[in-house]
Amino acid sequence: MQIPKMTVIGLMSGTSLDGMDVAIVDLEKKREEVDFELRYFTTIPYEKGLKDRLEKVVVPDTQSPEISSMNMLLGEVFADGVLHAIKEAGMKASDIDLISSHGQTVFHDPVFKENDQYYRPNTLQLGDISVIAERTGITTIGDFRTRDIAVGGQGAPLVPFLDYSLFQSEEVGRVLVNIGGIANITVIPKAAPSEKVIAYDTGPGNMIVDSFVYWYTNGEQSYDNNGHFANKGKVHQEWLNDLLSHSYYGEAPPKSTGRELFGVDYAKKLWEQAEKMNISELDRIATVTALTAHSLGLALENHIQEDQVSEIYVSGGGWHNGFMMKGLKDYLPKHVTLQSSQELGINSDAKEAISFALFGYLGFNKQPNNLPAATGAGKSVMMGKIAW
């Protein structure tokens, strides 16, 4: 089925709470193939006051009025970011057909609790799409994850849909890795049909590292640029082995995780634990950076031989952390290449925002846009709600 070409803005705000990614993408579906062209991409950081306020909202004991207010405020912030990106791209609002917004995840728990009859698998993203549509004058689609959960999925990871749609190969097996706040992988065996794709969150990405750097620099820095601090430290192997014994790493996919499991509370617990063990602050940063690399490596190890993988492509902020990438490469057999997703023609930093542009484009045109093999959903569905 052919879908008319549309220019769509994809919005993504990740678990690291750094700010918003804005991608302006031309999309067109011809039969079974989707063509895309990234016209403009930018990352707009959250101002410190907003980030501090948002940090308070994403902890489990926050009061409901604060969450509800933040939902409307982020709608305004996202709208302002969209208008800024349009102007910087040398375009007008009338050039944009659709805004597709992921929103800011504040809670994600897609698992049933057998001992609580009133609890339901759930996910919550803030940034009201009605506010975005009103402020920009552009039709907006959002709230994607809830539809996948409604049909028994985990509502995550969603990006594997793009991975399979654009990067499936008849010649080689590939793994697409994204390292944002959380790390996840999409395993696409050679010539695989969609039901053979394996995708899941492997564990923490940059989230714990970011917290450690923030505390080490007394709030002056919020991430480890190029692995600078990790390179000055030394991995504490005994502690790393203990961290890798966390039950999440042994769970079978499909599975997803987030701030609830590996967020600030968990990071604080590890920081204090390392303090009691007399591990230096730089060694702490090196060790939790190695945790991301090792947990990813262990997951990849299980797929490389079984799924005949020879190419691994990395996107997200983790690609820029040399210490993390070296730790991951050490896990891989020599015949497996480790490259940026840029080598596949997609901006490694813009990939998630491009994904949500694609989800919005398909959902708006009443096309399925989830990947049941990745999320565990019972069927393909059209994700997204529309604010005209």
Side-chain angles (χ1 to χ4, degrees):
M1 176 182 177
Q2 185 158 338
I3 302 176
K5 183 177 179 180
M6 294 179 72
T7 300
V8 182
I9 289 184
L11 286 179
M12 177 67 194
S13 179
T15 48
S16 61
L17 306 181
D18 287 337
M20 73 187 97
D21 294 338
V22 186
I24 302 178
V25 188
D26 287 337
L27 289 152
E28 185 174 12
K29 184 177 181 183
K30 301 174 181 176
R31 295 186 180 177
E32 296 306 311
E33 294 186 1
V34 176
D35 293 332
F36 81 96
E37 181 182 351
L38 177 64
R39 295 182 62 175
Y40 180 78
F41 172 73
T42 187
T43 297
I44 302 173
Y46 289 147
E47 59 183 49
K48 188 177 185 302
L50 174 61
K51 184 173 180 178
D52 291 345
R53 190 69 174 264
L54 195 53
E55 283 277 7
K56 295 178 182 177
V57 174
V58 298
V59 297
D61 59 356
T62 302
Q63 296 298 311
S64 298
E66 186 72 16
I67 296 175
S68 186
S69 171
M70 182 61 73
N71 181 45
M72 305 302 279
L73 172 60
L74 282 181
E76 296 176 11
V77 171
F78 292 156
D80 289 345
V82 164
L83 294 173
H84 171 81
I86 291 172
K87 183 178 179 181
E88 289 294 306
M91 301 171 71
K92 298 176 293 187
S94 58
D95 295 325
I96 305 299
D97 298 304
L98 182 71
I99 295 170
S100 178
S101 178
H102 168 269
Q104 178 65 61
T105 299
V106 293
F107 200 75
H108 182 79
D109 184 17
V111 181
F112 272 102
K113 289 181 169 45
E114 294 183 4
N115 60 347
D116 187 347
Q117 63 173 318
Y118 298 113
Y119 194 88
R120 297 292 181 273
N122 63 87
T123 188
L124 180 63
Q125 285 74 40
L126 302 187
D128 191 83
I129 59 172
S130 294
V131 175
I132 299 173
E134 184 61 33
R135 288 236 170 181
T136 62
I138 303 169
T139 296
T140 303
I141 185 170
D143 196 14
F144 294 95
R145 297 186 188 276
T146 50
R147 185 64 191 275
D148 187 84
I149 287 179
V151 290
Q154 297 231 342
L158 297 184
V159 175
F161 179 90
L162 174 139
D163 291 336
Y164 180 74
S165 299
L166 300 183
F167 306 127
Q168 185 270 344
S169 170
E170 296 296 313
E171 288 78 37
V172 295
R174 290 171 168 168
V175 177
L176 284 298
V177 176
N178 187 73
I179 308 175
I182 294 294
N184 54 64
I185 62 173
T186 304
V187 184
I188 311 174
K190 173 182 172 181
S194 63
E195 59 269 20
K196 295 295 183 182
V197 174
I198 303 166
Y200 55 95
D201 293 343
T202 60
N206 302 309
M207 194 179 291
I208 300 173
V209 179
D210 290 350
S211 292
F212 276 31
V213 169
Y214 185 83
W215 295 326
Y216 173 65
T217 63
N218 294 314
E220 291 184 9
Q221 296 185 45
S222 58
Y223 70 100
D224 191 7
N225 189 21
N226 295 323
H228 172 75
F229 294 119
N231 272 307
K232 287 186 172 183
K234 184 179 179 182
V235 175
H236 191 287
Q237 195 61 48
E238 182 184 348
W239 189 41
L240 175 60
N241 292 339
D242 182 56
L243 297 180
L244 286 167
S245 68
H246 192 292
S247 61
Y248 181 81
Y249 305 123
E251 292 177 16
K255 60 181 180 177
S256 60
T257 188
R259 187 169 292 276
E260 301 72 41
L261 201 58
F262 295 114
V264 175
D265 288 345
Y266 182 69
K268 180 65 75 175
K269 175 185 170 186
L270 298 191
W271 183 265
E272 292 170 352
Q273 187 182 86
E275 212 163 27
K276 291 176 183 175
M277 296 172 69
N278 293 318
I279 300 172
S280 76
E281 293 180 343
L282 287 171
D283 288 355
R284 295 175 208 179
I285 294 172
T287 303
V288 294
T289 305
L291 174 64
T292 293
H294 282 237
S295 55
L296 259 170
L298 286 168
L300 291 168
E301 209 171 40
N302 295 331
H303 299 291
I304 286 172
Q305 186 171 355
E306 186 176 335
D307 299 299
Q308 298 179 314
V309 169
S310 59
E311 297 178 357
I312 296 176
Y313 297 91
V314 182
S315 60
W319 171 254
H320 304 293
N321 188 317
F323 187 89
M324 188 181 288
M325 288 301 99
K326 183 182 183 304
L328 179 57
K329 192 169 181 58
D330 288 345
Y331 255 91
L332 306 178
K334 289 184 178 179
H335 75 277
V336 177
T337 61
L338 182 68
Q339 303 174 80
S340 165
S341 64
Q342 196 80 44
E343 300 300 320
L344 291 173
I346 191 166
N347 184 311
S348 63
D349 295 322
K351 183 182 166 190
E352 286 193 298
I354 292 170
S355 297
F356 281 90
L358 174 63
F359 299 146
Y361 171 69
L362 293 174
F364 181 82
N365 287 287
K366 302 178 182 179
Q367 296 292 297
N369 54 3
N370 70 328
L371 186 65
T375 64
K379 62 179 181 178
S380 294
V381 291
M382 294 171 281
M383 302 185 299
K385 300 170 186 174
I386 299 173
W388 298 94

